[in-house]
């Protein structure tokens, strides 16, 4: 079945007791056993819970995976995956990776003996040079955040497979509607469901999907042993949000395409980063591996009358009425932010400069409102932010 159908039906059946069409929220932490050790598949809700298992089954189907694992956050999922490795192992990771992933590798795992090298994977030669004999994992995030670089998942997986190294793809920005990394050779996919999968900015959660038997068995053990599991209520909300994933992502992407083209032609805009534009440096890879280019755009304004781009960006964000100035992304509402001051403030200024994250760079998560209202809002803020 197609994704549009799977998001609504996969893993879900009317409740056998009541006939309830929607998945019940089973809050019970423990389950009655007929006799010691003789239970109906559930004994304790950290180990397994009916609402969570339904979400995991649905999530697995969306990525074409055998197994799904739900976590309390995207970072909880990432941390649990990294516990499949051992001290002395080495990870090759994209250089423009989610800030929290960088922080886990640099501040949590490094002191525990796990080494990481951060490379720009648009250059496959640099990726090849980063492999060491002790490299045990490649961590790939595409499109990247906030520069929206796109990496060739199939090419990266081929290089890793030749060295017997598994690849984990963070598919949060693209969603399984836009790209399915397991079909391109990845061992596992990780999502922050906080973003597009839930899609309504009211859950923090994570998911991992994989068809690799050994990896999945280890992850199932670690999910229970480490215990970064989501509440049944949050699992219900993600299941509910997922039902509209296909229509939402389609609309996010259509709106973003309209705004990106309009921004690119606007006299007040210096640069636009959007995978759907022909001017995007990896546009050919985008066309090869993505069904739609997604709802995230980054851009740089031209300086206002005072010659200060960052100051104009601040005025621009404060002038908007429909866009909300906030971190996060992937909800139905349009959000806007300054990465250097907000989401990426924890990255040292010199690394931000290397990555191209100027102090005035603006990132938008395009919502599913009327694109006319979004464009009018941006247009009015261009006027008022110009300055003397
Ligand atoms: C938000 C995000 C994460 C982390 O997820 P949380 O749910 O906030 O822990 C990981 N990767 C990407 C690409 C993200 O956007």
């Amino acid at each position: 079945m197609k994704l549009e159908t799977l998001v609504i039906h996969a893993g879900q059946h009317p409740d056998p007791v009541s006939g309830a069409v929607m998945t019940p929220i089973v809050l019970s932490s423990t389950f009655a056993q007929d006799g010691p050790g003789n239970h109906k598949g559930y004994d304790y809700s950290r180990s397994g819970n009916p609402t969570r298992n339904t979400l995991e089954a649905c999530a697995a189907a969306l990525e074409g995976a055998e197994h799904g694992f739900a976590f309390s956050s995207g970072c909880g999922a990432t941390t649990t995956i990294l516990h499949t490795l051992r001290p002395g192992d080495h990870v090759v990771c994209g250089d423009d990776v989610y800030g929290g992933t960088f922080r886990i590798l640099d501040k949590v795992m490094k002191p525990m003996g796990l080494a990481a090298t951060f490379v720009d994977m648009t250059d496959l030669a640099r990726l090849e040079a980063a492999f060491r004999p002790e490299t045990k994992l490649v961590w790939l995030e595409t499109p990247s955040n906030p520069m929206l670089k796109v990496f060739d998942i199939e090419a990266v997986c081929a290089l890793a497979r030749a060295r017997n190294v598994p690849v984990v793809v963070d598919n949060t920005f693209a969603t399984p509607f836009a790209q399915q990394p397991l079909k391109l050779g990845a061992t596992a996919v990780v999502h922050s469901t906080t973003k597009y999968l839930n899609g309504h900015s009211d859950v923090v959660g994570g998911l991992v999907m994989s068809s690799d038997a050994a990896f999945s068995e280890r992850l199932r053990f670690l999910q229970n042993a480490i215990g970064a599991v989501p509440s049944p209520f949050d699992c219900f909300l993600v299941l509910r949000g997922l039902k509209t994933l296909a229509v939402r992502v389609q609309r996010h992407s259509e709106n973003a395409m309209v705004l990106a083209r309009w921004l690119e032609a606007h006299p007040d805009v210096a640069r636009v980063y959007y995978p759907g534009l022909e001017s995007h440096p990896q546009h050919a890879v985008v066309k090869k591996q993505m069904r739609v280019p997604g709802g995230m755009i980054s851009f740089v304004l031209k300086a206002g009358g005072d010659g200060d781009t960052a100051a104009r960006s601040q005025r621009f964000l404060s002038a908007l009425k429909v866009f909300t100035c906030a971190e996060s992304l992937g909800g139905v509402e349009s959000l806007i932010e300054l990465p250097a001051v907000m989401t990426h403030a924890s990255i040292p200024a010199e690394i931000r400069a290397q990555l191209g994250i100027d102090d005035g760079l603006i990132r938008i998560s395009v919502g599913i409102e009327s694109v006319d209202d979004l464009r009018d809002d941006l247009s009015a803020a261009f006027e008022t932010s110009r300055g003397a």
Side-chain angles (χ1 to χ4, degrees):
M1 279 189 273
K2 299 256 183 2
L3 191 100
E4 289 81 348
T5 311
L6 293 173
V7 290
I8 295 168
H9 294 292
Q12 293 157 77
H13 315 281
D15 181 49
V17 177
S18 66
V21 171
M22 289 300 136
T23 303
I25 306 170
V26 179
L27 293 171
S28 193
S29 58
T30 187
F31 299 85
Q33 309 195 6
D34 288 340
N38 186 11
H39 57 71
K40 298 177 173 64
Y42 298 99
D43 55 4
Y44 185 63
S45 268
R46 170 162 36 73
S47 318
N49 168 279
T51 316
R52 187 176 98 211
N53 285 26
T54 304
L55 170 62
E56 292 178 336
C58 183
L62 303 188
E63 291 285 4
E66 298 273 327
H67 309 284
F69 304 92
F71 293 91
S72 52
S73 68
C75 287
T78 298
T79 303
T80 306
I81 291 174
L82 292 174
H83 275 83
T84 61
L85 305 175
R86 301 188 175 285
D89 288 351
H90 173 248
V91 180
V92 177
C93 184
D95 65 345
D96 190 25
V97 80
Y98 177 69
T101 303
F102 174 82
R103 185 171 54 200
I104 293 168
L105 284 165
D106 191 54
K107 296 278 190 321
V108 181
M109 303 313 285
K110 195 161 92 183
M112 295 171 69
L114 191 70
T117 305
F118 299 90
V119 285
D120 179 354
M121 295 190 193
T122 53
D123 182 351
L124 293 172
R126 279 201 230 179
L127 170 62
E128 280 199 273
F131 280 103
R132 300 183 196 164
E134 62 274 21
T135 303
K136 292 287 158 60
L137 186 69
V138 171
W139 192 277
L140 176 62
E141 186 184 316
T142 178
S144 73
N145 171 22
M147 300 312 293
L148 299 165
K149 290 195 278 190
V150 172
F151 308 105
D152 187 333
I153 299 173
E154 202 168 18
V156 170
C157 289
L159 284 179
R161 196 180 318 112
R163 291 161 179 80
N164 245 325
V165 177
V167 177
V168 171
V169 176
D170 184 333
N171 209 23
T172 300
F173 267 41
T175 81
F177 181 80
Q179 74 191 11
Q180 296 185 312
L182 298 184
K183 294 188 178 138
L184 302 173
T187 299
V189 166
V190 60
H191 281 278
S192 167
T193 55
T194 315
K195 318 296 167 54
Y196 288 103
L197 295 199
N198 179 57
H200 294 74
S201 306
D202 50 12
V203 168
V204 172
L207 278 169
V208 178
M209 297 81 140
S210 178
S211 294
D212 184 289
F215 174 87
S216 298
E217 194 186 323
R218 185 69 185 153
L219 205 69
R220 189 180 307 288
F221 169 80
L222 291 170
Q223 180 194 35
N224 180 48
I226 295 173
V229 293
S231 77
F233 187 74
D234 284 354
C235 293
F236 169 82
L237 284 176
V238 178
L239 272 167
R240 176 193 175 122
L242 275 176
K243 289 186 189 288
T244 53
L245 180 75
V247 286
R248 281 189 287 109
V249 176
Q250 184 99 47
R251 175 69 170 265
H252 281 294
S253 202
E254 282 167 15
N255 279 0
M257 193 71 230
V258 170
L259 292 184
R261 283 205 199 290
W262 177 76
L263 287 168
E264 198 175 38
H266 199 286
D268 287 22
V269 175
R271 253 204 104 133
V272 181
Y273 304 91
Y274 182 63
L277 293 174
E278 289 74 18
S279 59
H280 188 281
Q282 292 92 40
H283 189 61
V285 181
V286 174
K287 280 170 69 179
K288 184 175 77 157
Q289 78 187 16
M290 298 183 79
R291 180 168 161 192
V292 293
M296 300 299 296
I297 305 173
S298 293
F299 66 101
V300 181
L301 287 174
K302 288 188 185 151
D306 56 3
D308 185 340
T309 312
R312 182 175 183 195
S313 296
Q314 300 257 7
R315 290 198 297 277
F316 177 74
L317 263 64
S318 304
L320 291 160
K321 304 234 159 28
V322 181
F323 283 84
T324 303
C325 176
E327 300 194 5
S328 199
L329 58 116
V332 290
E333 70 291 338
S334 291
L335 301 179
I336 191 158
E337 65 122 0
L338 286 189
V341 182
M342 298 168 65
T343 50
H344 291 65
S346 64
I347 298 176
E350 64 276 14
I351 297 182
R352 283 205 307 266
Q354 271 169 33
L355 294 172
I357 309 172
D358 300 337
D359 287 351
L361 182 83
I362 295 167
R363 187 190 80 179
I364 62 183
S365 171
V366 181
I368 63 171
E369 302 95 334
S370 156
V371 73
D372 297 336
D373 291 334
L374 297 178
R375 192 175 33 210
D376 289 351
D377 197 30
L378 295 172
S379 193
F382 278 137
E383 298 291 331
T384 50
S385 65
R386 231 169 251 148

